[in-house]
Amino acid sequence: MRGRENTLSAPFIAGAALTLNRMVKITTGGEVIHPAAIDEQTIGVTLDSATAAEATANKVVQVQVLGVAKIEASAAIAAGVLVAVSGSDGRIATATPANTTTATAFHFAVGIALEAAGGAAEVISVLLASPVAPYVNTTDATI
């Protein structure tokens, strides 16, 4: 796919070192950092990177919050599937529904993969979705 089109981004202060094309969450102080776990709600994708020193100096970075974004994968992803944050570095993987009968962590689906990723470190196009609800296993009879 071509580059970013029809997008919305906003400026935020980097709260830690940030890597380009990865998901971020907002802290209680209003800064952005990469999520620490798969069950944290994110707000968008970094359009800039920041070193730890730049974050300490309150570097402002752009975060894409709407549209088709370029995001780095942590594993192979098929086109057309829901994607979620895969771990503590802001990369994405195929979203896995939570099992409400166990302590399995839930994923917030962050969008739909518009193209496939063959493996880790590939950057793919994703249609961002507002992650307002966890991706839950709807076949679980306890829901």
Side-chain angles (χ1 to χ4, degrees):
M1 297 200 67
R2 293 179 15 192
R4 294 176 180 89
E5 297 176 9
N6 298 318
T7 65
L8 176 64
S9 65
F12 290 92
I13 294 174
L18 297 174
T19 304
L20 177 67
N21 296 326
R22 293 192 183 179
M23 300 300 298
V24 289
K25 70 174 191 171
I26 193 163
T27 67
T28 56
E31 301 167 325
V32 290
I33 61 174
H34 292 306
I38 63 171
D39 59 352
E40 293 185 327
Q41 195 169 13
T42 58
I43 62 160
V45 181
T46 53
L47 298 178
D48 301 308
S49 59
T51 65
E54 289 172 328
T56 300
N58 295 323
K59 179 180 179 179
V60 174
V61 295
Q62 286 295 122
V63 175
Q64 183 177 342
V65 296
L66 187 65
V68 176
K70 294 290 192 178
I71 310 176
E72 185 177 339
S74 66
I77 298 172
V81 301
L82 288 173
V83 293
V85 173
S86 63
S88 62
D89 61 5
R91 296 186 298 165
I92 57 167
T94 301
T96 305
N99 182 342
T100 58
T101 61
T102 68
T104 304
F106 57 84
H107 290 181
F108 283 96
V110 298
I112 300 170
L114 298 180
E115 55 192 359
E122 284 195 32
V123 176
I124 63 169
S125 294
V126 174
L127 176 60
L128 293 177
S130 177
V132 295
Y135 180 40
V136 177
N137 181 354
T138 57
T139 61
D140 187 336
T142 62
I143 296 176

